[in-house]
Short mmCIF file of all heavy atoms in Angstrom, two decimals:
data_model
loop_
_atom_site.label_atom_id
_atom_site.label_comp_id
_atom_site.label_asym_id
_atom_site.label_seq_id
_atom_site.Cartn_x
_atom_site.Cartn_y
_atom_site.Cartn_z
N MET A 1 -27.11 -103.27 15.66
CA MET A 1 -26.88 -104.71 15.63
C MET A 1 -25.58 -105.03 14.89
O MET A 1 -24.80 -105.86 15.33
CB MET A 1 -28.07 -105.44 15.02
CG MET A 1 -29.27 -105.49 15.94
SD MET A 1 -30.58 -106.57 15.32
CE MET A 1 -31.63 -105.40 14.52
N GLN A 2 -25.33 -104.35 13.78
CA GLN A 2 -24.11 -104.57 13.01
C GLN A 2 -22.88 -104.13 13.80
O GLN A 2 -21.88 -104.85 13.85
CB GLN A 2 -24.18 -103.82 11.67
CG GLN A 2 -22.96 -104.02 10.80
CD GLN A 2 -22.72 -105.47 10.41
OE1 GLN A 2 -23.66 -106.22 10.17
NE2 GLN A 2 -21.48 -105.87 10.37
N ALA A 3 -22.96 -102.96 14.43
CA ALA A 3 -21.82 -102.45 15.20
C ALA A 3 -21.50 -103.38 16.37
O ALA A 3 -20.33 -103.65 16.66
CB ALA A 3 -22.11 -101.04 15.71
N ASN A 4 -22.52 -103.89 17.02
CA ASN A 4 -22.28 -104.80 18.14
C ASN A 4 -21.79 -106.15 17.68
O ASN A 4 -21.04 -106.82 18.38
CB ASN A 4 -23.53 -104.91 19.02
CG ASN A 4 -23.59 -103.76 19.99
OD1 ASN A 4 -22.84 -103.72 20.96
ND2 ASN A 4 -24.43 -102.79 19.71
N SER A 5 -22.15 -106.55 16.48
CA SER A 5 -21.62 -107.78 15.91
C SER A 5 -20.11 -107.61 15.68
O SER A 5 -19.32 -108.50 16.01
CB SER A 5 -22.35 -108.08 14.61
OG SER A 5 -21.88 -109.27 14.05
N GLU A 6 -19.72 -106.47 15.12
CA GLU A 6 -18.30 -106.18 14.90
C GLU A 6 -17.55 -106.11 16.24
O GLU A 6 -16.43 -106.58 16.36
CB GLU A 6 -18.13 -104.86 14.15
CG GLU A 6 -18.63 -104.89 12.73
CD GLU A 6 -17.86 -105.85 11.85
OE1 GLU A 6 -16.62 -105.95 11.99
OE2 GLU A 6 -18.50 -106.52 11.02
N LEU A 7 -18.19 -105.52 17.23
CA LEU A 7 -17.58 -105.41 18.56
C LEU A 7 -17.35 -106.79 19.16
O LEU A 7 -16.30 -107.04 19.77
CB LEU A 7 -18.46 -104.55 19.46
CG LEU A 7 -17.87 -104.08 20.77
CD1 LEU A 7 -16.59 -103.29 20.55
CD2 LEU A 7 -18.89 -103.21 21.51
N SER A 8 -18.29 -107.69 18.98
CA SER A 8 -18.13 -109.05 19.49
C SER A 8 -16.93 -109.74 18.85
O SER A 8 -16.18 -110.44 19.52
CB SER A 8 -19.39 -109.88 19.22
OG SER A 8 -20.46 -109.41 20.00
N LYS A 9 -16.77 -109.54 17.54
CA LYS A 9 -15.61 -110.11 16.85
C LYS A 9 -14.31 -109.56 17.42
O LYS A 9 -13.35 -110.30 17.64
CB LYS A 9 -15.67 -109.80 15.35
CG LYS A 9 -16.73 -110.51 14.59
CD LYS A 9 -16.71 -110.05 13.13
CE LYS A 9 -18.01 -110.36 12.44
NZ LYS A 9 -18.06 -109.78 11.10
N SER A 10 -14.27 -108.25 17.64
CA SER A 10 -13.06 -107.61 18.16
C SER A 10 -12.75 -108.07 19.59
O SER A 10 -11.60 -108.20 19.97
CB SER A 10 -13.21 -106.09 18.14
OG SER A 10 -13.33 -105.64 16.82
N LEU A 11 -13.78 -108.29 20.38
CA LEU A 11 -13.57 -108.73 21.76
C LEU A 11 -12.89 -110.09 21.82
O LEU A 11 -12.14 -110.36 22.77
CB LEU A 11 -14.91 -108.78 22.52
CG LEU A 11 -15.42 -107.44 23.03
CD1 LEU A 11 -16.80 -107.62 23.65
CD2 LEU A 11 -14.47 -106.81 24.01
N ALA A 12 -13.13 -110.93 20.84
CA ALA A 12 -12.48 -112.25 20.82
C ALA A 12 -10.96 -112.08 20.78
O ALA A 12 -10.23 -112.74 21.53
CB ALA A 12 -12.97 -113.07 19.65
N GLY A 13 -10.46 -111.21 19.92
CA GLY A 13 -9.02 -110.95 19.84
C GLY A 13 -8.51 -110.27 21.09
O GLY A 13 -7.39 -110.52 21.56
N PHE A 14 -9.31 -109.43 21.65
CA PHE A 14 -8.96 -108.72 22.88
C PHE A 14 -8.81 -109.70 24.04
O PHE A 14 -7.90 -109.57 24.86
CB PHE A 14 -10.06 -107.69 23.17
CG PHE A 14 -9.77 -106.81 24.35
CD1 PHE A 14 -8.82 -105.81 24.26
CD2 PHE A 14 -10.46 -106.98 25.53
CE1 PHE A 14 -8.57 -104.99 25.33
CE2 PHE A 14 -10.21 -106.17 26.61
CZ PHE A 14 -9.27 -105.16 26.51
N ASN A 15 -9.67 -110.69 24.10
CA ASN A 15 -9.60 -111.70 25.16
C ASN A 15 -8.29 -112.47 25.10
O ASN A 15 -7.68 -112.77 26.13
CB ASN A 15 -10.78 -112.67 25.07
CG ASN A 15 -12.09 -111.99 25.35
OD1 ASN A 15 -12.15 -110.97 26.02
ND2 ASN A 15 -13.16 -112.55 24.84
N ILE A 16 -7.87 -112.81 23.90
CA ILE A 16 -6.60 -113.54 23.72
C ILE A 16 -5.45 -112.67 24.20
O ILE A 16 -4.54 -113.14 24.89
CB ILE A 16 -6.43 -113.94 22.23
CG1 ILE A 16 -7.49 -114.99 21.87
CG2 ILE A 16 -5.02 -114.45 21.97
CD1 ILE A 16 -7.62 -115.25 20.39
N LEU A 17 -5.50 -111.40 23.86
CA LEU A 17 -4.46 -110.46 24.29
C LEU A 17 -4.37 -110.39 25.81
O LEU A 17 -3.28 -110.47 26.39
CB LEU A 17 -4.76 -109.07 23.72
CG LEU A 17 -3.94 -107.90 24.28
CD1 LEU A 17 -2.50 -108.05 23.86
CD2 LEU A 17 -4.51 -106.58 23.80
N ALA A 18 -5.49 -110.26 26.47
CA ALA A 18 -5.50 -110.12 27.93
C ALA A 18 -4.97 -111.37 28.61
O ALA A 18 -4.37 -111.28 29.69
CB ALA A 18 -6.91 -109.81 28.41
N GLU A 19 -5.18 -112.53 28.00
CA GLU A 19 -4.66 -113.77 28.56
C GLU A 19 -3.13 -113.77 28.66
O GLU A 19 -2.55 -114.46 29.48
CB GLU A 19 -5.11 -114.96 27.70
CG GLU A 19 -6.53 -115.41 27.95
CD GLU A 19 -6.70 -116.05 29.30
OE1 GLU A 19 -5.82 -116.79 29.77
OE2 GLU A 19 -7.76 -115.80 29.91
N GLN A 20 -2.48 -112.99 27.82
CA GLN A 20 -1.02 -112.99 27.75
C GLN A 20 -0.37 -112.17 28.86
O GLN A 20 0.85 -112.17 28.98
CB GLN A 20 -0.57 -112.47 26.38
CG GLN A 20 -1.04 -113.33 25.24
CD GLN A 20 -0.76 -112.69 23.89
OE1 GLN A 20 -0.22 -111.60 23.80
NE2 GLN A 20 -1.15 -113.37 22.84
N TYR A 21 -1.15 -111.48 29.67
CA TYR A 21 -0.60 -110.58 30.68
C TYR A 21 -1.11 -110.95 32.08
O TYR A 21 -2.17 -110.47 32.50
CB TYR A 21 -0.94 -109.12 30.33
CG TYR A 21 -0.29 -108.70 29.05
CD1 TYR A 21 -0.96 -108.83 27.84
CD2 TYR A 21 1.01 -108.21 29.05
CE1 TYR A 21 -0.35 -108.48 26.65
CE2 TYR A 21 1.63 -107.85 27.86
CZ TYR A 21 0.95 -107.99 26.67
OH TYR A 21 1.56 -107.64 25.50
N PRO A 22 -0.36 -111.75 32.82
CA PRO A 22 -0.80 -112.17 34.15
C PRO A 22 -0.98 -110.99 35.11
O PRO A 22 -1.89 -111.00 35.94
CB PRO A 22 0.34 -113.08 34.65
CG PRO A 22 1.09 -113.47 33.43
CD PRO A 22 0.89 -112.40 32.42
N ASP A 23 -0.14 -109.95 34.98
CA ASP A 23 -0.29 -108.79 35.86
C ASP A 23 -1.63 -108.09 35.61
O ASP A 23 -2.26 -107.60 36.54
CB ASP A 23 0.84 -107.78 35.63
CG ASP A 23 2.18 -108.31 36.11
OD1 ASP A 23 2.18 -109.30 36.89
OD2 ASP A 23 3.21 -107.75 35.72
N LEU A 24 -2.02 -108.06 34.37
CA LEU A 24 -3.30 -107.44 34.02
C LEU A 24 -4.44 -108.22 34.65
O LEU A 24 -5.38 -107.64 35.20
CB LEU A 24 -3.46 -107.40 32.50
CG LEU A 24 -4.80 -106.90 31.97
CD1 LEU A 24 -5.04 -105.47 32.40
CD2 LEU A 24 -4.85 -107.04 30.46
N LYS A 25 -4.34 -109.53 34.60
CA LYS A 25 -5.40 -110.37 35.16
C LYS A 25 -5.52 -110.21 36.67
O LYS A 25 -6.54 -110.52 37.26
CB LYS A 25 -5.16 -111.84 34.80
CG LYS A 25 -5.36 -112.06 33.32
CD LYS A 25 -5.03 -113.41 32.77
CE LYS A 25 -4.95 -114.58 33.65
NZ LYS A 25 -4.71 -115.84 32.96
N ALA A 26 -4.49 -109.68 37.32
CA ALA A 26 -4.51 -109.47 38.76
C ALA A 26 -4.92 -108.04 39.13
O ALA A 26 -5.16 -107.75 40.30
CB ALA A 26 -3.13 -109.77 39.35
#
């Protein structure tokens, strides 16, 4: 539960990163 909580926090930053790359989104 703790590890997945940390993973959820990290995914938030990852989502912002992915938004910055239109080629990646395609």
Side-chain angles (χ1 to χ4, degrees):
M1 286 189 264
Q2 181 61 37
N4 277 286
S5 182
E6 293 296 322
L7 192 57
S8 291
K9 290 177 199 173
S10 296
L11 280 175
F14 185 74
N15 293 337
I16 293 168
L17 168 68
E19 281 291 322
Q20 298 172 0
Y21 295 92
D23 291 344
L24 175 62
K25 291 174 19 176

